[in-house]
Amino acid sequence: MMHTTLAQLRALKLDGLAAGLEEQLAQPGMTAMSFEERLALLIDRETHHRSDRKQARLLKQAKLKYPQAAIEDIDTRPARGLDRRVVMSVALGDWVTTGQSILISGPTGAGKSWLACALAQYACRRGYSALYQRVPRLSEELRIRHGSGIFGRWLLQLAKTDVLVLDDWGMGDLDSTTRSDLLEIIDDRATIITSQLPIEHWHAWIGDATVADAILDRLMQRHHRFTLTGDSLRQIKQKTTEKEQKTDPS
């Protein structure tokens, strides 16, 4: 009978509950617990199972450049210009639900993309959807979507995304179509932007004064700004690796 029950639970896609029940059957001490207590544990197991499955799905759909980046691992050495308390305050706040922007600037290799992915990854862990896009590549993708007639459908799908990560903002020129598309894309959602270009130069980079005013007005209404400093983390990692190789007796 129990074998049939487990099969029925899995048929109903209650895999967490089924796994919890199997664990209870394997633990003799569970018989000392009341029916209500055992049921509460099973429901809790199913709830966590669904939450983990949803989180995995959101992270897969986000297509983050650094999917393993986590806010718990942020390097906040003084030379980087990051205050852990400020970063955690933003990450734990309501920036997603209120559609706020996070603007990350700094030199090449400073860790801008990693920080953006860490913030987006934590949003996914909280149950929000996210999508990572490199702006230089996005321009070409937008042209293809316009040419194939699917831009409108893609925009509707994007409207369901809670967090949009726009990496490498300010690299390359913008054509008029991409400028207009960006205005549509960043509307009504939380946005994370990384850029080597200082924020005060964004207006000139966008090009069209009217569109630039509209885009920057949207981004600057409620935003958090992080300016990373220090040496390239990639160069530091390379130097550390080379040093370890030199000192390795093997």
Side-chain angles (χ1 to χ4, degrees), residues 106-125:
T108 301
K112 301 182 298 297
S113 299
W114 194 95
L115 177 58
C117 288
L119 291 166
Q121 191 247 35
Y122 187 68
C124 291
R125 286 159 57 187

Side-chain angles (χ1 to χ4, degrees), residues 63-84:
K63 300 178 181 179
L64 300 177
K65 182 177 183 179
Y66 301 109
Q68 301 304 320
I71 57 173
E72 295 87 346
D73 300 326
I74 290 176
D75 182 353
T76 55
R77 287 173 295 178
R80 297 202 65 210
L82 277 179
D83 186 324
R84 180 178 297 276

Side-chain angles (χ1 to χ4, degrees), residues 144-160:
I144 293 173
R145 291 187 180 105
H146 278 292
S148 58
I150 64 171
F151 176 75
R153 186 164 69 249
W154 178 79
L155 202 60
L156 290 174
Q157 294 174 346
L158 185 63
K160 302 175 183 178

Side-chain angles (χ1 to χ4, degrees), residues 14 34 68 89 96 101 114 159 170 186 188 198 212 219 235 237 250:
L14 297 173
S34 67
Q68 301 304 320
S89 176
V96 178
S101 304
W114 194 95
I186 65 173
D188 297 329
L219 292 175
Q235 292 179 2
K237 183 177 180 181
S250 62

